[in-house]
Amino acid sequence: MEKGTLALAITGGSDNWSPARWKARFGEVCADRRVVLLPDDACAPDDVAYAAVWKPRHGVLAALPALRVIFNLGAGVDALVADPTLPDLPVVRVADADLTGRMTEYVVLHVLAHHRRLFALRADQQRHLWQPREQWAAGALGVGIMGLGVLGADAAQVLRRLGFQVAGWSAHPKSIEGVACFAGREQLSAFLRRTNILVCLLPLTPQTRHILDRALFAQLDRTSPLGAPVLINAGRGGLQVERDILACLDDGTLGGATLDVFETEPLPPDSPLWSHPGLVVTPHNAADTDPDAIAAYVAAQIARFEAGEPLQNVVDPARGY
Ligand code: NAP
Ligand code: GLV
């Protein structure tokens, strides 16, 4: 019997993420089935059993009546679930050791850069200033991670190993050795009050949109040697109120920030975020997914599904992540 077609609907991304490259990769790992690229390739909608997507145009998936599973080619599904016509089918997202390792590198890099005052030292260097700045032990700082999922839990453990006082905040109670775990809105303030470097690895949902605002920053601890607290957001841009971040950097509520994600991406050239001296901007590449690994992951999930085994990393539609 003919195996169900795999349709690809992919928008945006670097050269490595070009739709043509994805088609070539899936052609290799799904050699026994037809792989089509939407909207370019002709295909009978009734033949499409699987879709592998990144930010697909709204309505594309609803037009595939025989679709059985949707594979999101990244960890965050906010762009996908924003489609009001999204069919009621299992959505599998990426949870992958390679991606997790890359995000942990990013988080540790930026926590250490703020902790070790790298940006001030770099500015001193540019002015030829030999100016040793006070340094303190990692244990003097509380690092608080919003989102203790696949990514947050891994970063928490590595930061703990480095000696930081690590806390985490999630929707449901958790227990991670050496990490002070807080859950739910009722424990958010207690979590913030012990945090000097706030790392956000939340998914974007109606509950988390714009959670990173002035009222939240004002609750962070200011009594550590770092002084004003620091924000690192690698979750999604919709989690942050960008005008509040700028105003809080200006008035000292925040001492610095690293942002990988923005309300509008690419960040517009005239955005004031580019040039604020307290801000490090990276272009949404904290943790790129390795396309070869993900194509193999999707092929393995399809094989599981067709063998009657449960799919892995399925999104809960009620939670939206
Ligand atoms: P995940 O495993 O689903 O974890 C999400 C965490 O957020 C969970 O701990 C969850 O709590 C918590 N959470 C969700 N809603 C919450 C709420 N209302 N209040 C408190 N906690 C809440 O996701 P992940 O794989 O770690 O990825 C997290 C996000 O990172 C993705 O959604 C994506 O947006 C972002 N990301 C960014 C990049 C990048 O390059 N910048 C790369 C990959 C991913 P429970 O555990 O209690 O459910
Ligand atoms: C990247 O942002 C992802 O969600 O994987």
Side-chain angles (χ1 to χ4, degrees):
M1 202 180 83
E2 182 85 350
K3 288 201 161 186
T5 296
L6 170 65
L8 310 180
I10 294 161
T11 314
S14 58
D15 285 352
N16 203 24
W17 267 66
S18 76
R21 289 197 65 173
W22 277 107
K23 186 174 174 183
R25 288 182 188 106
F26 276 112
E28 277 173 29
V29 293
C30 296
D32 55 348
R33 70 180 72 244
R34 191 160 178 244
V35 179
V36 296
L37 200 54
L38 299 179
D40 303 346
D41 295 341
C43 83
D46 284 345
D47 291 344
V48 176
Y50 307 104
V53 304
W54 184 244
K55 300 182 181 169
R57 267 191 307 107
H58 290 186
V60 165
L61 298 170
L64 304 171
L67 194 60
R68 302 181 69 191
V69 185
I70 299 164
F71 296 94
N72 187 63
L73 294 173
V77 294
D78 46 294
L80 178 62
V81 302
D83 179 352
T85 68
L86 187 69
D88 182 15
L89 291 171
V91 171
V92 173
R93 72 184 191 98
V94 172
D96 167 71
D98 173 75
L99 174 85
T100 304
R102 293 178 195 220
M103 182 57 89
T104 294
E105 283 178 17
Y106 182 89
V107 170
V108 171
L109 172 73
H110 288 273
V111 167
L112 286 177
H114 289 286
H115 158 59
R116 296 304 300 258
R117 315 185 73 185
L118 184 65
F119 308 113
L121 290 167
R122 185 88 185 131
D124 291 346
Q125 180 185 342
Q126 274 155 3
R127 293 158 58 216
H128 296 197
L129 259 184
W130 184 271
Q131 185 168 262
R133 287 178 179 263
E134 187 197 348
Q135 299 281 350
W136 46 80
L141 298 189
V143 179
I145 304 185
M146 298 179 84
L148 276 180
V150 173
L151 302 181
D154 191 72
Q157 280 156 358
V158 177
L159 289 165
R160 178 180 73 89
R161 175 70 191 82
L162 288 174
F164 293 100
Q165 299 175 48
V166 182
W169 183 70
S170 53
H172 308 90
K174 302 243 178 297
S175 169
I176 302 176
E177 199 191 335
V179 177
C181 294
F182 297 80
R185 285 280 173 169
E186 55 290 355
Q187 292 183 6
L188 179 57
S189 289
F191 161 80
L192 296 170
R193 283 199 301 269
R194 53 169 288 159
T195 294
N196 306 110
I197 299 182
L198 182 68
V199 177
C200 184
L201 289 173
L202 288 169
L204 179 61
T205 68
Q207 288 71 40
T208 61
R209 181 174 291 281
H210 292 157
I211 191 169
L212 300 174
D213 65 0
R214 174 180 280 282
L216 182 139
F217 304 141
Q219 296 177 64
L220 294 166
D221 177 61
R222 311 178 60 81
T223 62
S224 80
L226 186 66
V230 161
L231 167 70
I232 298 171
N233 183 18
R236 281 289 184 266
L239 296 162
Q240 68 206 12
V241 180
E242 291 174 357
R243 64 174 182 285
D244 281 9
I245 293 175
L246 286 168
C248 287
L249 286 168
D250 284 342
D251 71 14
T253 303
L254 287 175
T258 293
L259 302 178
D260 185 55
V261 285
F262 302 89
E263 282 267 25
T264 304
E265 295 181 5
L267 185 63
D270 61 350
S271 167
L273 293 166
W274 282 113
S275 45
H276 197 290
L279 237 170
V280 179
V281 167
T282 57
H284 197 149
N285 70 346
D288 277 349
T289 29
D290 170 10
D292 294 319
I294 292 166
Y297 164 82
V298 170
Q301 293 286 332
I302 293 175
R304 286 178 69 92
F305 183 71
E306 294 189 341
E309 292 168 33
L311 292 162
Q312 295 167 310
N313 306 312
V314 177
V315 172
D316 178 340
R319 292 184 189 175
Y321 64 93

